[in-house]
PDB file of all heavy atoms in Angstrom:
ATOM      1  N   ALA A 252      47.478 109.284   5.119  1.00  0.00           N
ATOM      2  CA  ALA A 252      47.257 109.005   3.699  1.00  0.00           C
ATOM      3  C   ALA A 252      48.400 109.601   2.891  1.00  0.00           C
ATOM      4  O   ALA A 252      49.064 110.566   3.319  1.00  0.00           O
ATOM      5  CB  ALA A 252      45.925 109.580   3.254  1.00  0.00           C
ATOM      6  N   THR A 253      48.651 109.018   1.737  1.00  0.00           N
ATOM      7  CA  THR A 253      49.713 109.509   0.866  1.00  0.00           C
ATOM      8  C   THR A 253      49.140 110.479  -0.168  1.00  0.00           C
ATOM      9  O   THR A 253      47.922 110.638  -0.298  1.00  0.00           O
ATOM     10  CB  THR A 253      50.390 108.343   0.139  1.00  0.00           C
ATOM     11  OG1 THR A 253      49.442 107.748  -0.777  1.00  0.00           O
ATOM     12  CG2 THR A 253      50.880 107.288   1.127  1.00  0.00           C
ATOM     13  N   THR A 254      50.050 111.080  -0.884  1.00  0.00           N
ATOM     14  CA  THR A 254      49.645 111.911  -2.027  1.00  0.00           C
ATOM     15  C   THR A 254      49.120 111.001  -3.131  1.00  0.00           C
ATOM     16  O   THR A 254      49.239 109.778  -3.061  1.00  0.00           O
ATOM     17  CB  THR A 254      50.836 112.729  -2.519  1.00  0.00           C
ATOM     18  OG1 THR A 254      51.938 111.841  -2.798  1.00  0.00           O
ATOM     19  CG2 THR A 254      51.264 113.753  -1.463  1.00  0.00           C
ATOM     20  N   ARG A 255      48.550 111.615  -4.146  1.00  0.00           N
ATOM     21  CA  ARG A 255      47.902 110.851  -5.214  1.00  0.00           C
ATOM     22  C   ARG A 255      48.932 110.201  -6.142  1.00  0.00           C
ATOM     23  O   ARG A 255      50.000 110.755  -6.415  1.00  0.00           O
ATOM     24  CB  ARG A 255      46.994 111.741  -6.052  1.00  0.00           C
ATOM     25  CG  ARG A 255      45.856 112.371  -5.285  1.00  0.00           C
ATOM     26  CD  ARG A 255      44.973 113.184  -6.225  1.00  0.00           C
ATOM     27  NE  ARG A 255      43.921 113.862  -5.480  1.00  0.00           N
ATOM     28  CZ  ARG A 255      44.029 115.098  -5.008  1.00  0.00           C
ATOM     29  NH1 ARG A 255      45.155 115.796  -5.203  1.00  0.00           N
ATOM     30  NH2 ARG A 255      43.034 115.646  -4.342  1.00  0.00           N
ATOM     31  N   VAL A 256      48.548 109.026  -6.638  1.00  0.00           N
ATOM     32  CA  VAL A 256      49.286 108.330  -7.690  1.00  0.00           C
ATOM     33  C   VAL A 256      48.303 108.102  -8.829  1.00  0.00           C
ATOM     34  O   VAL A 256      47.218 107.551  -8.608  1.00  0.00           O
ATOM     35  CB  VAL A 256      49.864 106.994  -7.202  1.00  0.00           C
ATOM     36  CG1 VAL A 256      50.485 106.216  -8.350  1.00  0.00           C
ATOM     37  CG2 VAL A 256      50.874 107.219  -6.092  1.00  0.00           C
ATOM     38  N   ALA A 257      48.665 108.545 -10.018  1.00  0.00           N
ATOM     39  CA  ALA A 257      47.721 108.472 -11.139  1.00  0.00           C
ATOM     40  C   ALA A 257      47.411 107.033 -11.522  1.00  0.00           C
ATOM     41  O   ALA A 257      46.258 106.671 -11.780  1.00  0.00           O
ATOM     42  CB  ALA A 257      48.275 109.234 -12.345  1.00  0.00           C
ATOM     43  N   ALA A 262      55.052 101.125 -11.621  1.00  0.00           N
ATOM     44  CA  ALA A 262      56.152 100.774 -10.731  1.00  0.00           C
ATOM     45  C   ALA A 262      56.622 102.003  -9.976  1.00  0.00           C
ATOM     46  O   ALA A 262      56.869 103.058 -10.574  1.00  0.00           O
ATOM     47  CB  ALA A 262      57.303 100.153 -11.520  1.00  0.00           C
ATOM     48  N   LEU A 263      56.753 101.896  -8.663  1.00  0.00           N
ATOM     49  CA  LEU A 263      57.175 103.006  -7.813  1.00  0.00           C
ATOM     50  C   LEU A 263      58.475 102.730  -7.086  1.00  0.00           C
ATOM     51  O   LEU A 263      59.253 103.644  -6.817  1.00  0.00           O
ATOM     52  CB  LEU A 263      56.091 103.304  -6.770  1.00  0.00           C
ATOM     53  CG  LEU A 263      54.715 103.722  -7.292  1.00  0.00           C
ATOM     54  CD1 LEU A 263      53.736 103.854  -6.128  1.00  0.00           C
ATOM     55  CD2 LEU A 263      54.809 105.050  -8.034  1.00  0.00           C
ATOM     56  N   ALA A 264      58.735 101.496  -6.724  1.00  0.00           N
ATOM     57  CA  ALA A 264      59.872 101.154  -5.872  1.00  0.00           C
ATOM     58  C   ALA A 264      61.132 100.929  -6.684  1.00  0.00           C
ATOM     59  O   ALA A 264      61.123 100.245  -7.710  1.00  0.00           O
ATOM     60  CB  ALA A 264      59.563  99.912  -5.054  1.00  0.00           C
ATOM     61  N   SER A 269      61.693 101.174   0.836  1.00  0.00           N
ATOM     62  CA  SER A 269      61.091 100.864   2.136  1.00  0.00           C
ATOM     63  C   SER A 269      60.159 101.983   2.566  1.00  0.00           C
ATOM     64  O   SER A 269      60.161 103.080   2.002  1.00  0.00           O
ATOM     65  CB  SER A 269      62.183 100.656   3.190  1.00  0.00           C
ATOM     66  OG  SER A 269      62.900 101.867   3.385  1.00  0.00           O
ATOM     67  N   LEU A 270      59.379 101.680   3.605  1.00  0.00           N
ATOM     68  CA  LEU A 270      58.456 102.641   4.204  1.00  0.00           C
ATOM     69  C   LEU A 270      58.705 102.631   5.709  1.00  0.00           C
ATOM     70  O   LEU A 270      58.675 101.582   6.345  1.00  0.00           O
ATOM     71  CB  LEU A 270      57.000 102.247   3.921  1.00  0.00           C
ATOM     72  CG  LEU A 270      55.925 103.034   4.665  1.00  0.00           C
ATOM     73  CD1 LEU A 270      55.901 104.486   4.199  1.00  0.00           C
ATOM     74  CD2 LEU A 270      54.552 102.393   4.466  1.00  0.00           C
ATOM     75  N   PHE A 284      60.036  96.895   0.371  1.00  0.00           N
ATOM     76  CA  PHE A 284      59.317  96.557  -0.860  1.00  0.00           C
ATOM     77  C   PHE A 284      60.285  95.978  -1.881  1.00  0.00           C
ATOM     78  O   PHE A 284      61.492  96.323  -1.904  1.00  0.00           O
ATOM     79  CB  PHE A 284      58.654  97.803  -1.466  1.00  0.00           C
ATOM     80  CG  PHE A 284      57.725  98.525  -0.533  1.00  0.00           C
ATOM     81  CD1 PHE A 284      57.928  99.871  -0.229  1.00  0.00           C
ATOM     82  CD2 PHE A 284      56.660  97.871   0.054  1.00  0.00           C
ATOM     83  CE1 PHE A 284      57.086 100.542   0.627  1.00  0.00           C
ATOM     84  CE2 PHE A 284      55.806  98.538   0.917  1.00  0.00           C
ATOM     85  CZ  PHE A 284      56.016  99.878   1.216  1.00  0.00           C
ATOM     86  N   ALA A 288      57.889  97.533  -7.210  1.00  0.00           N
ATOM     87  CA  ALA A 288      56.578  97.382  -6.568  1.00  0.00           C
ATOM     88  C   ALA A 288      55.666  98.544  -6.921  1.00  0.00           C
ATOM     89  O   ALA A 288      56.078  99.707  -6.952  1.00  0.00           O
ATOM     90  CB  ALA A 288      56.751  97.310  -5.053  1.00  0.00           C
ATOM     91  N   THR A 289      54.418  98.222  -7.188  1.00  0.00           N
ATOM     92  CA  THR A 289      53.398  99.224  -7.501  1.00  0.00           C
ATOM     93  C   THR A 289      52.693  99.636  -6.213  1.00  0.00           C
ATOM     94  O   THR A 289      52.975  99.105  -5.134  1.00  0.00           O
ATOM     95  CB  THR A 289      52.377  98.656  -8.488  1.00  0.00           C
ATOM     96  OG1 THR A 289      51.665  97.588  -7.828  1.00  0.00           O
ATOM     97  CG2 THR A 289      53.060  98.106  -9.736  1.00  0.00           C
ATOM     98  N   LEU A 290      51.740 100.538  -6.332  1.00  0.00           N
ATOM     99  CA  LEU A 290      50.963 100.941  -5.152  1.00  0.00           C
ATOM    100  C   LEU A 290      50.204  99.743  -4.582  1.00  0.00           C
ATOM    101  O   LEU A 290      50.109  99.578  -3.362  1.00  0.00           O
ATOM    102  CB  LEU A 290      49.987 102.063  -5.541  1.00  0.00           C
ATOM    103  CG  LEU A 290      49.344 102.809  -4.366  1.00  0.00           C
ATOM    104  CD1 LEU A 290      50.387 103.600  -3.589  1.00  0.00           C
ATOM    105  CD2 LEU A 290      48.243 103.751  -4.865  1.00  0.00           C
ATOM    106  N   VAL A 291      49.683  98.915  -5.474  1.00  0.00           N
ATOM    107  CA  VAL A 291      48.981  97.702  -5.044  1.00  0.00           C
ATOM    108  C   VAL A 291      49.936  96.749  -4.336  1.00  0.00           C
ATOM    109  O   VAL A 291      49.613  96.169  -3.292  1.00  0.00           O
ATOM    110  CB  VAL A 291      48.305  97.009  -6.243  1.00  0.00           C
ATOM    111  CG1 VAL A 291      47.739  95.646  -5.841  1.00  0.00           C
ATOM    112  CG2 VAL A 291      47.212  97.885  -6.832  1.00  0.00           C
ATOM    113  N   MET A 293      52.633  97.567  -2.732  1.00  0.00           N
ATOM    114  CA  MET A 293      52.962  98.154  -1.429  1.00  0.00           C
ATOM    115  C   MET A 293      51.869  97.855  -0.406  1.00  0.00           C
ATOM    116  O   MET A 293      52.151  97.499   0.746  1.00  0.00           O
ATOM    117  CB  MET A 293      53.156  99.666  -1.575  1.00  0.00           C
ATOM    118  CG  MET A 293      54.423 100.055  -2.318  1.00  0.00           C
ATOM    119  SD  MET A 293      54.586 101.860  -2.459  1.00  0.00           S
ATOM    120  CE  MET A 293      56.215 101.996  -3.230  1.00  0.00           C
ATOM    121  N   HIS A 316      44.919 107.839  -6.951  1.00  0.00           N
ATOM    122  CA  HIS A 316      44.888 106.754  -5.960  1.00  0.00           C
ATOM    123  C   HIS A 316      45.783 107.109  -4.781  1.00  0.00           C
ATOM    124  O   HIS A 316      46.925 107.534  -4.950  1.00  0.00           O
ATOM    125  CB  HIS A 316      45.364 105.451  -6.599  1.00  0.00           C
ATOM    126  CG  HIS A 316      44.546 105.040  -7.787  1.00  0.00           C
ATOM    127  ND1 HIS A 316      43.382 104.335  -7.687  1.00  0.00           N
ATOM    128  CD2 HIS A 316      44.740 105.267  -9.127  1.00  0.00           C
ATOM    129  CE1 HIS A 316      42.888 104.114  -8.886  1.00  0.00           C
ATOM    130  NE2 HIS A 316      43.688 104.675  -9.785  1.00  0.00           N
ATOM    131  N   ARG A 317      45.266 106.912  -3.577  1.00  0.00           N
ATOM    132  CA  ARG A 317      46.017 107.200  -2.365  1.00  0.00           C
ATOM    133  C   ARG A 317      46.173 105.917  -1.539  1.00  0.00           C
ATOM    134  O   ARG A 317      45.251 105.104  -1.468  1.00  0.00           O
ATOM    135  CB  ARG A 317      45.298 108.227  -1.496  1.00  0.00           C
ATOM    136  CG  ARG A 317      45.183 109.624  -2.098  1.00  0.00           C
ATOM    137  CD  ARG A 317      44.237 110.445  -1.235  1.00  0.00           C
ATOM    138  NE  ARG A 317      44.073 111.811  -1.704  1.00  0.00           N
ATOM    139  CZ  ARG A 317      44.739 112.865  -1.212  1.00  0.00           C
ATOM    140  NH1 ARG A 317      45.614 112.674  -0.232  1.00  0.00           N
ATOM    141  NH2 ARG A 317      44.519 114.086  -1.672  1.00  0.00           N
ATOM    142  N   LEU A 318      47.310 105.781  -0.915  1.00  0.00           N
ATOM    143  CA  LEU A 318      47.528 104.689   0.029  1.00  0.00           C
ATOM    144  C   LEU A 318      47.142 105.207   1.410  1.00  0.00           C
ATOM    145  O   LEU A 318      47.681 106.226   1.874  1.00  0.00           O
ATOM    146  CB  LEU A 318      48.997 104.257   0.009  1.00  0.00           C
ATOM    147  CG  LEU A 318      49.370 103.014   0.836  1.00  0.00           C
ATOM    148  CD1 LEU A 318      48.692 101.775   0.285  1.00  0.00           C
ATOM    149  CD2 LEU A 318      50.896 102.833   0.845  1.00  0.00           C
ATOM    150  N   VAL A 319      46.198 104.531   2.055  1.00  0.00           N
ATOM    151  CA  VAL A 319      45.729 104.939   3.371  1.00  0.00           C
ATOM    152  C   VAL A 319      46.160 103.893   4.393  1.00  0.00           C
ATOM    153  O   VAL A 319      45.907 102.699   4.213  1.00  0.00           O
ATOM    154  CB  VAL A 319      44.201 105.119   3.399  1.00  0.00           C
ATOM    155  CG1 VAL A 319      43.732 105.496   4.812  1.00  0.00           C
ATOM    156  CG2 VAL A 319      43.780 106.189   2.394  1.00  0.00           C
ATOM    157  N   VAL A 334      54.571 108.857   7.998  1.00  0.00           N
ATOM    158  CA  VAL A 334      55.230 107.860   7.157  1.00  0.00           C
ATOM    159  C   VAL A 334      56.249 108.566   6.270  1.00  0.00           C
ATOM    160  O   VAL A 334      56.090 109.745   5.927  1.00  0.00           O
ATOM    161  CB  VAL A 334      54.218 107.093   6.276  1.00  0.00           C
ATOM    162  CG1 VAL A 334      53.255 106.300   7.125  1.00  0.00           C
ATOM    163  CG2 VAL A 334      53.457 108.026   5.350  1.00  0.00           C
ATOM    164  N   SER A 335      57.295 107.826   5.902  1.00  0.00           N
ATOM    165  CA  SER A 335      58.268 108.360   4.942  1.00  0.00           C
ATOM    166  C   SER A 335      58.779 107.224   4.074  1.00  0.00           C
ATOM    167  O   SER A 335      59.018 106.119   4.572  1.00  0.00           O
ATOM    168  CB  SER A 335      59.429 109.053   5.671  1.00  0.00           C
ATOM    169  OG  SER A 335      60.124 108.121   6.485  1.00  0.00           O
ATOM    170  N   PHE A 336      58.899 107.512   2.775  1.00  0.00           N
ATOM    171  CA  PHE A 336      59.346 106.502   1.814  1.00  0.00           C
ATOM    172  C   PHE A 336      60.823 106.704   1.524  1.00  0.00           C
ATOM    173  O   PHE A 336      61.337 107.829   1.521  1.00  0.00           O
ATOM    174  CB  PHE A 336      58.555 106.632   0.505  1.00  0.00           C
ATOM    175  CG  PHE A 336      57.104 106.227   0.629  1.00  0.00           C
ATOM    176  CD1 PHE A 336      56.144 107.173   0.985  1.00  0.00           C
ATOM    177  CD2 PHE A 336      56.707 104.928   0.387  1.00  0.00           C
ATOM    178  CE1 PHE A 336      54.810 106.816   1.100  1.00  0.00           C
ATOM    179  CE2 PHE A 336      55.380 104.561   0.493  1.00  0.00           C
ATOM    180  CZ  PHE A 336      54.425 105.501   0.855  1.00  0.00           C
ATOM    181  N   ALA A 337      61.518 105.608   1.239  1.00  0.00           N
ATOM    182  CA  ALA A 337      62.928 105.653   0.837  1.00  0.00           C
ATOM    183  C   ALA A 337      63.133 104.669  -0.297  1.00  0.00           C
ATOM    184  O   ALA A 337      62.435 103.659  -0.407  1.00  0.00           O
ATOM    185  CB  ALA A 337      63.829 105.295   2.017  1.00  0.00           C
ATOM    186  N   LEU A 339      62.653 105.080  -3.561  1.00  0.00           N
ATOM    187  CA  LEU A 339      61.693 105.082  -4.664  1.00  0.00           C
ATOM    188  C   LEU A 339      62.413 105.322  -5.979  1.00  0.00           C
ATOM    189  O   LEU A 339      63.450 106.014  -6.034  1.00  0.00           O
ATOM    190  CB  LEU A 339      60.631 106.161  -4.440  1.00  0.00           C
ATOM    191  CG  LEU A 339      59.749 106.006  -3.198  1.00  0.00           C
ATOM    192  CD1 LEU A 339      58.799 107.208  -3.078  1.00  0.00           C
ATOM    193  CD2 LEU A 339      58.951 104.713  -3.274  1.00  0.00           C
ATOM    194  N   ALA A 340      61.880 104.792  -7.071  1.00  0.00           N
ATOM    195  CA  ALA A 340      62.444 105.038  -8.400  1.00  0.00           C
ATOM    196  C   ALA A 340      62.378 106.523  -8.720  1.00  0.00           C
ATOM    197  O   ALA A 340      63.299 107.091  -9.309  1.00  0.00           O
ATOM    198  CB  ALA A 340      61.681 104.214  -9.447  1.00  0.00           C
ATOM    199  N   ASP A 341      61.308 107.165  -8.327  1.00  0.00           N
ATOM    200  CA  ASP A 341      61.142 108.619  -8.459  1.00  0.00           C
ATOM    201  C   ASP A 341      60.825 109.138  -7.066  1.00  0.00           C
ATOM    202  O   ASP A 341      59.717 108.934  -6.559  1.00  0.00           O
ATOM    203  CB  ASP A 341      60.000 108.934  -9.426  1.00  0.00           C
ATOM    204  CG  ASP A 341      59.742 110.436  -9.552  1.00  0.00           C
ATOM    205  OD1 ASP A 341      60.481 111.224  -8.917  1.00  0.00           O
ATOM    206  OD2 ASP A 341      58.794 110.809 -10.265  1.00  0.00           O
ATOM    207  N   PRO A 342      61.773 109.805  -6.390  1.00  0.00           N
ATOM    208  CA  PRO A 342      61.559 110.239  -5.005  1.00  0.00           C
ATOM    209  C   PRO A 342      60.315 111.090  -4.802  1.00  0.00           C
ATOM    210  O   PRO A 342      59.756 111.110  -3.712  1.00  0.00           O
ATOM    211  CB  PRO A 342      62.829 111.044  -4.704  1.00  0.00           C
ATOM    212  CG  PRO A 342      63.861 110.485  -5.628  1.00  0.00           C
ATOM    213  CD  PRO A 342      63.136 110.138  -6.891  1.00  0.00           C
ATOM    214  N   GLY A 343      59.849 111.761  -5.812  1.00  0.00           N
ATOM    215  CA  GLY A 343      58.667 112.601  -5.643  1.00  0.00           C
ATOM    216  C   GLY A 343      57.380 111.931  -6.074  1.00  0.00           C
ATOM    217  O   GLY A 343      56.318 112.586  -6.099  1.00  0.00           O
ATOM    218  N   ALA A 344      57.443 110.635  -6.378  1.00  0.00           N
ATOM    219  CA  ALA A 344      56.251 109.956  -6.910  1.00  0.00           C
ATOM    220  C   ALA A 344      55.167 109.795  -5.857  1.00  0.00           C
ATOM    221  O   ALA A 344      53.970 109.848  -6.151  1.00  0.00           O
ATOM    222  CB  ALA A 344      56.636 108.584  -7.466  1.00  0.00           C
ATOM    223  N   ILE A 345      55.557 109.606  -4.595  1.00  0.00           N
ATOM    224  CA  ILE A 345      54.573 109.398  -3.527  1.00  0.00           C
ATOM    225  C   ILE A 345      55.179 109.832  -2.203  1.00  0.00           C
ATOM    226  O   ILE A 345      56.387 109.653  -1.956  1.00  0.00           O
ATOM    227  CB  ILE A 345      54.134 107.912  -3.464  1.00  0.00           C
ATOM    228  CG1 ILE A 345      53.012 107.737  -2.445  1.00  0.00           C
ATOM    229  CG2 ILE A 345      55.303 107.003  -3.153  1.00  0.00           C
ATOM    230  CD1 ILE A 345      52.394 106.334  -2.488  1.00  0.00           C
ATOM    231  N   ALA A 346      54.375 110.483  -1.379  1.00  0.00           N
ATOM    232  CA  ALA A 346      54.813 110.933  -0.063  1.00  0.00           C
ATOM    233  C   ALA A 346      53.591 111.049   0.831  1.00  0.00           C
ATOM    234  O   ALA A 346      52.447 110.867   0.390  1.00  0.00           O
ATOM    235  CB  ALA A 346      55.541 112.275  -0.176  1.00  0.00           C
ATOM    236  N   GLU A 347      53.844 111.380   2.121  1.00  0.00           N
ATOM    237  CA  GLU A 347      52.707 111.546   3.021  1.00  0.00           C
ATOM    238  C   GLU A 347      52.005 112.870   2.729  1.00  0.00           C
ATOM    239  O   GLU A 347      52.659 113.890   2.491  1.00  0.00           O
ATOM    240  CB  GLU A 347      53.171 111.527   4.486  1.00  0.00           C
ATOM    241  CG  GLU A 347      52.017 111.704   5.463  1.00  0.00           C
ATOM    242  CD  GLU A 347      52.462 111.909   6.900  1.00  0.00           C
ATOM    243  OE1 GLU A 347      53.658 111.706   7.207  1.00  0.00           O
ATOM    244  OE2 GLU A 347      51.584 112.283   7.736  1.00  0.00           O
ATOM    245  N   ASP A 348      50.673 112.824   2.776  1.00  0.00           N
ATOM    246  CA  ASP A 348      49.869 114.044   2.692  1.00  0.00           C
ATOM    247  C   ASP A 348      49.535 114.432   4.130  1.00  0.00           C
ATOM    248  O   ASP A 348      48.623 113.889   4.746  1.00  0.00           O
ATOM    249  CB  ASP A 348      48.601 113.775   1.880  1.00  0.00           C
ATOM    250  CG  ASP A 348      47.747 115.030   1.726  1.00  0.00           C
ATOM    251  OD1 ASP A 348      48.096 116.075   2.316  1.00  0.00           O
ATOM    252  OD2 ASP A 348      46.706 114.959   1.028  1.00  0.00           O
TER     253      ASP A 348
END
Side-chain angles (χ1 to χ4, degrees):
T253 67
T254 54
R255 298 183 183 93
V256 173
L263 299 175
S269 64
L270 171 67
F284 304 123
T289 66
L290 194 66
V291 172
M293 289 180 175
H316 302 275
R317 294 170 179 262
L318 186 65
V319 178
V334 296
S335 62
F336 290 90
L339 298 177
D341 177 2
I345 186 171
E347 180 189 349
D348 182 356

